[in-house]
Amino acid sequence: MSTISVYGYNLDMLATIHGSQEDEDLPSSGCRKSGPLLPNGSNSLFLGLPYEIRAMIYNYVMPWTNSIGQWHRADAPVWATCRKIHDETISLLYGDCTFPLVVNYGDITFHHQWLNTWGANRHRPLTPRRVYQFPDIIPLRYRTLLRRIHVRISLIDGYEGMIKYNCSNRNALALGVRDQVQTLCNTLQDIPEIQDLLITWDIKRIVDCELLRLVTEPFQVLRNLRSVTVQDIEGLESGCVSRIQAQVAHASIKNFKKH
């Protein structure tokens, strides 16, 4: 059943991310139209189209994200039609969309923010957001399909650390963030290819190059990174961020060659 929230958000929009659609619920071949299930996928005019054309059609009705990971809602849950369409659309959903993750001292979260452009909000869209624990929100069988990931690393001072985590030691807070980054990278290192990795910062303390190297070092276990970008930080010593970015990229190439 499709549920619409007060924000106009269709809770079935990312049914696959919530894991509500199991493989056994999908027809193994053919597609559902308004009538009975077609007995053979080859009888479907749609499936007879070249994949490139089907992909263009999927993009009109599937969820998609902009460059900062804000989601645009889906018009139809096409992934629930049949197994073949499910496999094709899921690859596009996870491969083409940007998944924004936030790494804190205490956890890793997926921030699902979507644009609501209905009615009076068409020109000034609302951006409601829901926060989920990562990677639990994404079914295990889909995690290797991720291709575009935006990781925002949060570095806080001792005062905020005491309030949130009962920890005021800045070194301990930094090590805790590093441990969370390591946990994230342990999940991501099984991805055969990451096309775009963006690392940005939410900084509420004084930082130096050594601290940034500490918390970003776990990214060096990843392999086959096609593109990695680390956000620059104003006031930091010249060349620090570019060196970190180069180290992650170089380590990725070495890891790929080992495999």
Side-chain angles (χ1 to χ4, degrees), residues 87-139:
D87 292 344
E88 292 180 348
T89 54
I90 288 303
S91 296
L92 291 173
L93 177 67
Y94 286 95
D96 291 350
C97 294
T98 298
F99 284 76
L101 308 177
V102 176
V103 179
N104 296 290
Y105 172 83
D107 57 12
I108 306 167
T109 52
F110 164 54
H111 284 225
H112 181 202
Q113 187 178 49
W114 63 95
L115 293 175
N116 177 10
T117 57
W118 288 11
N121 299 318
R122 186 178 300 117
H123 301 295
R124 299 183 63 183
L126 296 173
T127 53
R129 180 178 65 184
R130 296 179 70 181
V131 178
Y132 302 94
Q133 293 297 311
F134 182 88
D136 299 342
I137 189 59
I138 300 180

Side-chain angles (χ1 to χ4, degrees), residues 31 33 38 40-50 53-54 57:
C31 298
K33 289 187 174 180
L38 293 175
N40 190 317
S42 62
N43 292 336
S44 167
L45 295 178
F46 178 73
L47 292 179
L49 296 172
I53 296 179
R54 295 201 302 274
I57 296 173

